[in-house]
Amino acid sequence: MPLYRDEAIVLRTHKLGEADRIITLLTRSNGRVRAVAKGVRRTSSRFGSRLEPFTHVDLQLAEGRNLDTITQAETMSAFSSALGADYERYTAGTAMLETAERLVSEEKQPSLQQFLLLVGGLRAMAAGAHRPGQILDSYLLRSLAVAGYAPSFDACAHCGLEGPHRWFNPSMGGMLCTTCRLPGSASPSPLVIATMSALLTGDWPVVEAADPRQLREASGLVSAFLHWHLERGLRSLEHVER
């Protein structure tokens, strides 16, 4: 079987047989990969703890007909240590993993930008660089943008008329002018719109200056935007403190 090396973030694991696991990975060069880790559930396993969710690993894999097989694993960053000790970080991080798996839907399709976004987001979450909810919201908006669903916060998402505009509608892709407004569109304040734009661009001084009410409203709109484009909600997002 041909061998190849790649680095990856472990997204998810589930049991296979008595001692094995199937590991779902987001890799740097090969996109989403599902691979078998043989004997990983035995106490004598060489790399059992290295293949837990949130772990950034360097891997050697053997190509298989249906599933590849992990033959070597070395830890590069154990984000699980920091995230597992804090409920807020853990739940936000879990939502990031689920989002990455959903957005990179086809196996073995390179998704370098999604991989780099996830690594950067988990690193910021583990370091406590910003509040977990805001790191998550920033990651969600950026990962959606990379996937081709960038929200419009300045020009009207429908006709392109330059703003500022008053109405926000997830199904239309962002802000709408009065002419293009759809029934049921939200009407966030200019400060909430500025906060969402700052989350997308990584303008953290603007995000940190927002008050809790603005941040909660921005989070709700980010969640609505995500749910629309994923077509169904994230199970893990239900547990994130907003």
Side-chain angles (χ1 to χ4, degrees), residues 20-212:
D20 306 339
R21 286 188 189 276
I22 295 177
I23 313 294
T24 302
L25 307 155
L26 180 59
T27 70
R28 184 183 186 95
S29 301
N30 291 277
R32 187 164 66 89
V33 171
R34 295 171 69 243
V36 176
K38 294 186 176 179
V40 75
R41 289 160 54 203
R42 296 193 182 103
T43 55
S44 59
S45 171
R46 307 193 307 277
F47 44 69
S49 62
R50 303 171 193 170
L51 295 174
E52 295 296 325
F54 300 117
T55 309
H56 184 195
V57 285
D58 178 74
L59 300 173
Q60 178 176 279
L61 303 100
E63 292 185 5
R65 180 176 300 177
N66 297 314
L67 294 170
D68 295 348
T69 300
I70 297 171
T71 58
Q72 293 179 12
E74 297 295 334
T75 301
M76 298 179 68
S77 301
F79 298 127
S80 53
S81 299
L83 301 187
D86 183 281
Y87 179 79
E88 197 173 355
R89 293 186 197 177
Y90 175 80
T91 54
T94 300
M96 292 167 67
L97 298 186
E98 187 180 353
T99 299
E101 185 173 2
R102 294 276 295 278
L103 289 176
V104 185
S105 56
E106 293 188 33
E107 293 192 17
K108 296 293 183 76
Q109 293 297 313
S111 301
L112 177 60
Q113 286 184 286
Q114 292 288 3
F115 172 79
L116 294 175
L117 271 175
L118 183 59
V119 172
L122 292 176
R123 183 174 290 121
M125 191 77 74
H130 307 285
R131 286 167 288 190
Q134 280 67 73
I135 293 174
L136 172 61
D137 287 337
S138 180
Y139 169 78
L140 295 177
L141 289 173
R142 292 186 191 194
S143 59
L144 284 165
V146 167
Y149 307 122
S152 175
F153 295 123
D154 298 316
C156 174
H158 183 62
C159 72
L161 180 69
E162 286 298 320
H165 298 300
R166 178 179 176 186
W167 309 100
F168 181 84
N169 192 293
S171 68
M172 296 298 290
M175 302 305 297
L176 297 175
C177 66
T178 302
T179 302
C180 298
R181 173 201 172 190
L182 294 180
S185 297
S187 180
S189 70
L191 289 175
V192 171
I193 297 168
T195 300
M196 294 175 68
S197 180
L199 287 166
L200 176 62
T201 60
D203 190 347
W204 288 104
V206 171
V207 175
E208 298 291 349
D211 66 37

Side-chain angles (χ1 to χ4, degrees), residues 207-229:
V207 175
E208 298 291 349
D211 66 37
R213 183 186 60 79
Q214 293 162 4
L215 291 171
R216 283 194 301 271
E217 186 175 350
S219 289
L221 294 174
V222 171
S223 296
F225 191 78
L226 176 76
H227 288 181
W228 173 263
H229 289 288

